[in-house]
C-alpha cells in the first residue's frame, strides 16, 4: 500500500513539474504575441463629399452635411475572406427630392463570397460606405492605425526598436487624405480663384468644395488603364449614336496624358476598358436570349487581370471602374459579383431599382452624337422667344410614354406631344421654341433628351422612376429642372403653369450655366463632360481608403 501511494505521488509530481513550464510559456506568448489593432474606417455616408465637410449644423435636415468619420476595430482573416456589404441599394430612393437620405445605413449586412480567382497577395483592409473588406494571407493581425479625422497617418511599430517603412500605397492614401482636408477647408473658406471658370450659384450643392475638389483632381488623380484585350470589344466603343459617350470616354482615356499613368503603383483607380455595346454586337448571339457569352467574356477578363496584377485582389475591385452606356451595362457588371457590388460602375442607366448605388456608382449622361460632334446642337433663343410651353416627340417605348401620349398627344396647343413629328418639322427647332422639354424614360431610365434639352436651353422635365440624374453629387437638379413621376402626367399643364415666369427665367439661366458640364469636346476642355465623369469617379475614390499590412520593416 505504501509503495503504491508513493508511486502515485511521484507520478503526480512529475506531471506537475511538466505543466508549470507550459503554463509559464503560454502566459509569455499571450503577453508578447500580436494584438488586434484599430484599422481605419472610410469617410462619409454619402457621395456628396463636399457637403459632408460643411461646418454648419449637423442636423439631418440641413443641406450642408458634415463629415462622418469614425474608427472601428477589425481583425485580419483568412485570404478567402468575406465581403460585408450594407444594403446600399435601399438608401437611394427619392434622391431627387432629398439628397440627405443617403445618410442612412443598413443594419443587416449581406455576406458575399469571392467569385473570381484570388491570388495570394497582401493583407488588406478597406471600408467603403456600407462595405467592409478584410483580407489576409496569414492569421497575423493588423499593425497600422490611421487617424480618420486628420491628415496624419501614425504607424504603430511592430517592435519598440524597429520602425516600418512607408509603402507606396500608404503614400497614395496620404495624398488622398490631404485632398480630403483641402476640400473640407474650402467648404468653409473663401472661393478659390480660377482663370477659366469658378462655379457659383444654387445649381451646385457646395460650389466652393466642388471647385476645390476639381482642382485637387487635376493635380493628383491618376488612372491606370489595363492594356489586356484587343479591339473590337476592348479599348474601343461607339463614338456616334445614343451610346456615343461609351466609345468617346474609352478613346479619350486611352490617349489622355494628364490623368492616365503607365505606372500602376501610382494609380488611384484602375479602368477596365471593355465596351458593353461592342460585347452585345460581337459576343452576344442576336435573339438568342443567352447572356452567357457576355458573362463569360467579362469573367475571363477579370480573372486575367486578377491573375496578372495584384491590384484587383488588394481591394476586391473597389478601386476599379467600368463604364457603359448600353442598357445592358448593369447586367454585364453582375457577371462578376465583386465588379457589381464593389467596383465603381459608371452607367447611363442609373436605375436604383436595379441596384445602382449613388454611394459608389456614377451616373453619366447619354448623349446622342449622330455626327460624332456638337455641330448644330448647342444654343437656343431667350425665354421671351419661346412660344411653346412643353414639347415631346418620340415613339412608344417603355411604360411611361404610353401614358404621356394617351393624355397629351395632339390634345393641347401648349403641350406639344407627338409620337411622330409632322413632315418638315425640325426636332431641335421645336426644342428651341419650347420653355420645357419633356424627358420621359423609355424601357430604361436614361434618355438623351435630357442633354438635348440642356444643349438647346430648354428646361428639362424628368418623368421617370428611380432615376439618378448625371453628376447629382455636384449638381442640384431641382434648381434647373422639374422632376415628375408617372402619376403627375395628367396634371402636367397645371404643374408647369404654376411655375412663375420669374422662376422659369431663373431655371433657364441655370440650364445655360450648367451646360458646359454636359458638352463633349475633342480634345476635352476643363469642366466638360469628360472631366465631370472623371471627377465623379475621383469623388468615389475619395470615399474609399485601402490599407495593406505587407510593408517592409527597417531597423
Amino acid at each position: 500500500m505504501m509503495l503504491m501511494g508513493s508511486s502515485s505521488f511521484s507520478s503526480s509530481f512529475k506531471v506537475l513539474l511538466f505543466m508549470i513550464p507550459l503554463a509559464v510559456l503560454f502566459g509569455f506568448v499571450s503577453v508578447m504575441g500580436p494584438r488586434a489593432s484599430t484599422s481605419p474606417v472610410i469617410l462619409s455616408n454619402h457621395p456628396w463629399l463636399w457637403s459632408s465637410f460643411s461646418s454648419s449644423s449637423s442636423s439631418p435636415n440641413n443641406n450642408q452635411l458634415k463629415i462622418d468619420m469614425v474608427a472601428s476595430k477589425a481583425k485580419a482573416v483568412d485570404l478567402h475572406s468575406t465581403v460585408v456589404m450594407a444594403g446600399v441599394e435601399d438608401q437611394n430612393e427619392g434622391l431627387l427630392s432629398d439628397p440627405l437620405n443617403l445618410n442612412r445605413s443598413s443594419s443587416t449586412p449581406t455576406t458575399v463570397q469571392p467569385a473570381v480567382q484570388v491570388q495570394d497577395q497582401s493583407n488588406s483592409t478597406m471600408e467603403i460606405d456600407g462595405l467592409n473588406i478584410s483580407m489576409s494571407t496569414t492569421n497575423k493581425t493588423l499593425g497600422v492605425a490611421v487617424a480618420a479625422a486628420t491628415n496624419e497617418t501614425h504607424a504603430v511599430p511592430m517592435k519598440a526598436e524597429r520602425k516600418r517603412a512607408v509603402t507606396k500605397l500608404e503614400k497614395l492614401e496620404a495624398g488622398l487624405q490631404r485632398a480630403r482636408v483641402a476640400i473640407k477647408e474650402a467648404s468653409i473658406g473663401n472661393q478659390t480663384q480660377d482663370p477659366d471658370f469658378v462655379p457659383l450659384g444654387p445649381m451646385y450643392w457646395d460650389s466652393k468644395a466642388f471647385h476645390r475638389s476639381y482642382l485637387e483632381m487635376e493635380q493628383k488623380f491618376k488612372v491606370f488603364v489595363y492594356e489586356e484585350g484587343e479591339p473590337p470589344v476592348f479599348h474601343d466603343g461607339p463614338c456616334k449614336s445614343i451610346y456615343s459617350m461609351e466609345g468617346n470616354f474609352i478613346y479619350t482615356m486611352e490617349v489622355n496624358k494628364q490623368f492616365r499613368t503607365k505606372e500602376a503603383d501610382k494609380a488611384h483607380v484602375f479602368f477596365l476598358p471593355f465596351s458593353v455595346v461592342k460585347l452585345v454586337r460581337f459576343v452576344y448571339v442576336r435573339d438568342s436570349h443567352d447572356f452567357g457569352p457576355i458573362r463569360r467574356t467579362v469573367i475571363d477578363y477579370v480573372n486575367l487581370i486578377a491573375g496578372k496584377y495584384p491590384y484587383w485582389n488588394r481591394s476586391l475591385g473597389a478601386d476599379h471602374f467600368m463604364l457603359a452606356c448600353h442598357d445592358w451595362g448593369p447586367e454585364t457588371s453582375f457577371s462578376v459579383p465583386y465588379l457589381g457590388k464593389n467596383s465603381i460602375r459608371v452607367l447611363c442607366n442609373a436605375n436604383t431599382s436595379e441596384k445602382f448605388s449613388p454611394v459608389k456608382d456614377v451616373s453619366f449622361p447619354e448623349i446622342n452624337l449622330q455626327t460624332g460632334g456638337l455641330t448644330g446642337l448647342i444654343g437656343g433663343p431667350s425665354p421671351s422667344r419661346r412660344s411653346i410651353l412643353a414639347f415631346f416627340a418620340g415613339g412608344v417605348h417603355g411604360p411611361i410614354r404610353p401614358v404621356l401620349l394617351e393624355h397629351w398627344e395632339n390634345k393641347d396647343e401648349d403641350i406639344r406631344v407627338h409620337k411622330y413629328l409632322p413632315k418638315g418639322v425640325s426636332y431641335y427647332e421645336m426644342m428651341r421654341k419650347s420653355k420645357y422639354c419633356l424627358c420621359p424614360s423609355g424601357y430604361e431610365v436614361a434618355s438623351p433628351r435630357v442633354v438635348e434639352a440642356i444643349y438647346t436651353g430648354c428646361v428639362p422635365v424628368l418623368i421617370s422612376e428611380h432615376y439618378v440624374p448625371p453628376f447629382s453629387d455636384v449638381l442640384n437638379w431641382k434648381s434647373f429642372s422639374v422632376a415628375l413621376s408617372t402619376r403627375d402626367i395628367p396634371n402636367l399643364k397645371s404643374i408647369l403653369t404654376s411655375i412663375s415666369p420669374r422662376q422659369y427665367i431663373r431655371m433657364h439661366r441655370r440650364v445655360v450655366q450648367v451646360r458646359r458640364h454636359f458638352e463633349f469636346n475633342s480634345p476635352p476642355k476643363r469642366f466638360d463632360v469628360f472631366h465631370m465623369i472623371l471627377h465623379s469617379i475621383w469623388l468615389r475614390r475619395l470615399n474609399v481608403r485601402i490599407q495593406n499590412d505587407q510593408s517592409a520593416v527597417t531597423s
Side-chain angles (χ1 to χ4, degrees), residues 89 92-96 324-331 334 345-366 441 443-447 462 464-473 477 540:
E89 60 271 11
N92 309 314
E93 299 295 333
L95 179 65
L96 287 175
C325 210
H326 194 278
D327 297 346
W328 290 1
E331 180 67 22
F334 289 111
R345 301 180 305 152
V346 186
L347 304 172
C348 285
N349 186 25
N351 188 340
T352 59
S353 70
E354 297 179 1
K355 299 183 180 180
F356 179 90
S357 170
V359 172
K360 74 172 190 66
D361 298 328
V362 172
S363 173
F364 79 109
E366 190 171 88
S441 294
Y443 284 111
E444 303 298 341
V445 293
S447 170
L462 311 182
S464 61
E465 308 290 341
H466 313 295
Y467 179 47
V468 180
F471 316 135
S472 295
D473 40 22
W477 279 78
R540 280 143 186 85

Side-chain angles (χ1 to χ4, degrees), residues 222-234:
K222 295 299 177 184
V223 180
F224 182 78
V225 182
Y226 288 110
E227 296 184 350
E228 287 65 32
E230 297 179 357
V233 171
F234 300 91

Side-chain angles (χ1 to χ4, degrees), residues 4-5 12 44 47 58 74 104 116 158 195 197 216 254 302 309 357 385 400 432-433 443 483 489 512 546:
M4 291 178 60
S12 299
S44 60
S58 61
R104 295 179 292 168
V116 297
M158 297 179 68
F197 174 71
E216 290 289 328
E254 294 265 352
V302 173
Y309 302 91
S357 170
R385 296 169 57 194
I400 296 178
R432 291 186 177 94
K433 292 178 181 179
Y443 284 111
I489 290 176
V512 174
I546 302 169

Side-chain angles (χ1 to χ4, degrees), residues 122-124 144 146 153 155 163-175 265-266 314 546-554:
S122 60
N123 309 329
S124 305
V144 178
V146 176
T153 302
K163 61 182 179 180
R164 186 177 54 75
V166 178
T167 65
K168 292 180 180 179
L169 177 59
E170 287 173 329
K171 291 179 181 178
L172 200 74
E173 290 295 334
D265 285 339
K266 294 183 178 180
R314 183 179 69 181
I546 302 169
Q547 177 185 353
N548 69 42
D549 196 39
Q550 194 178 31
S551 51
V553 178
T554 59

Side-chain angles (χ1 to χ4, degrees), residues 1-59:
M1 294 290 290
M2 176 81 72
L3 211 55
M4 291 178 60
S6 175
S7 175
S8 175
F9 174 81
S10 176
S11 299
S12 299
F13 184 76
K14 290 178 180 179
V15 170
L16 181 61
L17 289 177
F18 177 76
M19 292 298 295
I20 289 175
L22 284 180
V24 172
L25 178 62
F26 179 79
F28 179 80
V29 170
S30 299
V31 172
M32 298 302 295
R35 299 180 181 181
S37 64
T38 302
S39 66
V41 173
I42 298 321
L43 301 181
S44 60
N45 292 325
H46 45 76
W48 288 275
L49 190 61
W50 33 84
S51 295
S52 70
F53 288 138
S54 171
S55 62
S56 59
S57 170
S58 61
S59 169

Side-chain angles (χ1 to χ4, degrees), residues 53-328:
F53 288 138
S54 171
S55 62
S56 59
S57 170
S58 61
S59 169
N61 294 321
N62 194 321
N63 278 340
Q64 297 298 315
L65 307 180
K66 70 172 184 176
I67 188 168
D68 179 16
M69 304 173 68
V70 296
S72 70
K73 293 183 178 180
K75 295 181 179 179
V77 298
D78 187 77
L79 174 67
H80 297 288
S81 61
T82 60
V83 178
V84 182
M85 295 191 63
V88 294
E89 60 271 11
D90 297 328
Q91 301 175 9
N92 309 314
E93 299 295 333
L95 179 65
L96 287 175
S97 60
D98 181 14
L100 298 179
N101 69 349
L102 287 177
N103 203 31
R104 295 179 292 168
S105 61
S106 172
S107 59
T108 310
T110 303
T111 301
V112 183
Q113 296 296 337
V116 297
Q117 295 174 0
V118 179
Q119 288 183 309
D120 187 13
Q121 298 294 343
S122 60
N123 309 329
S124 305
T125 60
M126 183 276 293
E127 178 170 323
I128 185 172
D129 285 323
L131 182 155
N132 276 317
I133 296 176
S134 181
M135 300 187 297
S136 174
T137 56
T138 69
N139 290 324
K140 294 186 298 182
T141 53
L142 301 176
V144 178
V146 176
T150 71
N151 62 342
E152 298 179 7
T153 302
H154 303 284
V156 178
M158 297 179 68
K159 289 187 177 181
E161 69 278 6
R162 307 174 78 188
K163 61 182 179 180
R164 186 177 54 75
V166 178
T167 65
K168 292 180 180 179
L169 177 59
E170 287 173 329
K171 291 179 181 178
L172 200 74
E173 290 295 334
L176 292 175
Q177 181 62 7
R178 287 191 291 271
R180 296 179 188 113
V181 172
I183 297 168
K184 175 182 178 181
E185 293 174 348
S187 182
I188 59 177
N190 296 325
Q191 184 79 48
T192 304
Q193 295 303 307
D194 194 318
D196 276 350
F197 174 71
V198 176
L200 294 171
M203 304 84 70
Y204 304 96
W205 293 112
D206 187 330
S207 60
K208 292 187 293 185
F210 161 54
H211 193 203
R212 183 71 248 175
S213 178
Y214 185 92
L215 297 177
E216 290 289 328
M217 176 194 75
E218 287 186 314
Q219 295 168 11
K220 294 183 173 69
F221 198 34
K222 295 299 177 184
V223 180
F224 182 78
V225 182
Y226 288 110
E227 296 184 350
E228 287 65 32
E230 297 179 357
V233 171
F234 300 91
H235 310 278
D236 194 12
C239 293
K240 298 180 182 179
S241 81
I242 62 173
Y243 303 131
S244 62
M245 283 310 301
E246 187 171 307
N248 279 310
F249 183 90
I250 293 173
Y251 171 77
T252 306
M253 194 71 256
E254 294 265 352
V255 301
N256 186 273
K257 295 181 180 179
Q258 179 181 3
F259 297 103
R260 184 178 180 181
T261 179
K262 296 285 188 175
E263 299 179 63
D265 285 339
K266 294 183 178 180
H268 300 93
V269 295
F270 301 82
F271 181 35
L272 309 172
F274 60 83
S275 167
V276 176
V277 175
K278 293 298 184 76
L279 280 169
V280 174
R281 180 179 176 184
F282 291 103
V283 177
Y284 175 73
V285 179
R286 188 171 182 178
D287 299 325
S288 68
H289 307 290
D290 180 10
F291 202 78
I294 293 178
R295 185 176 292 109
R296 286 191 294 272
T297 302
V298 176
I299 291 172
D300 289 345
Y301 180 68
V302 173
N303 277 332
L304 176 65
I305 61 136
K308 186 174 181 179
Y309 302 91
Y311 308 104
W312 174 274
N313 299 325
R314 183 179 69 181
S315 66
L316 294 183
D319 54 357
H320 288 58
F321 76 94
M322 60 163 284
L323 179 139
C325 210
H326 194 278
D327 297 346
W328 290 1

Side-chain angles (χ1 to χ4, degrees), residues 363-528:
S363 173
F364 79 109
E366 190 171 88
I367 304 177
N368 189 4
L369 296 176
Q370 298 178 4
T371 64
L374 297 182
T375 303
L377 299 181
I378 303 294
S382 64
S384 62
R385 296 169 57 194
R386 295 176 180 265
S387 57
I388 301 172
L389 178 63
F391 166 72
F392 168 80
V396 178
H397 189 253
I400 296 178
R401 294 181 191 179
V403 180
L404 179 64
L405 291 166
E406 177 188 353
H407 282 88
W408 296 105
E409 185 180 15
N410 300 322
K411 292 182 180 179
D412 194 299
E413 284 299 309
D414 294 326
I415 308 289
R416 302 286 185 90
V417 172
H418 305 277
K419 186 183 299 182
Y420 304 104
L421 276 175
K423 189 175 181 179
V425 177
S426 168
Y427 176 78
Y428 289 105
E429 284 305 311
M430 288 295 292
M431 283 191 141
R432 291 186 177 94
K433 292 178 181 179
S434 303
K435 291 180 172 66
Y436 299 94
C437 288
L438 308 180
C439 307
S441 294
Y443 284 111
E444 303 298 341
V445 293
S447 170
R449 287 171 179 79
V450 177
V451 175
E452 290 168 344
I454 293 173
Y455 281 177
T456 57
C458 187
V459 175
V461 179
L462 311 182
I463 309 176
S464 61
E465 308 290 341
H466 313 295
Y467 179 47
V468 180
F471 316 135
S472 295
D473 40 22
V474 171
L475 300 177
N476 176 12
W477 279 78
K478 290 189 293 184
S479 71
F480 61 89
S481 69
V482 179
L484 302 178
S485 65
T486 308
R487 64 178 178 271
D488 296 319
I489 290 176
N491 302 318
L492 182 60
K493 186 172 183 177
S494 61
I495 291 172
L496 296 180
T497 54
S498 68
I499 299 173
S500 69
R502 185 176 181 180
Q503 179 61 17
Y504 161 70
I505 291 173
R506 288 197 195 99
M507 296 173 75
H508 172 270
R509 183 174 64 248
R510 293 165 187 168
V511 165
V512 174
Q513 287 176 293
V514 301
R515 185 163 61 198
R516 69 182 300 143
H517 299 317
F518 295 87
E519 292 179 3
F520 168 75
N521 299 294
S522 184
K525 298 179 181 178
R526 297 183 72 213
F527 294 97
D528 69 359

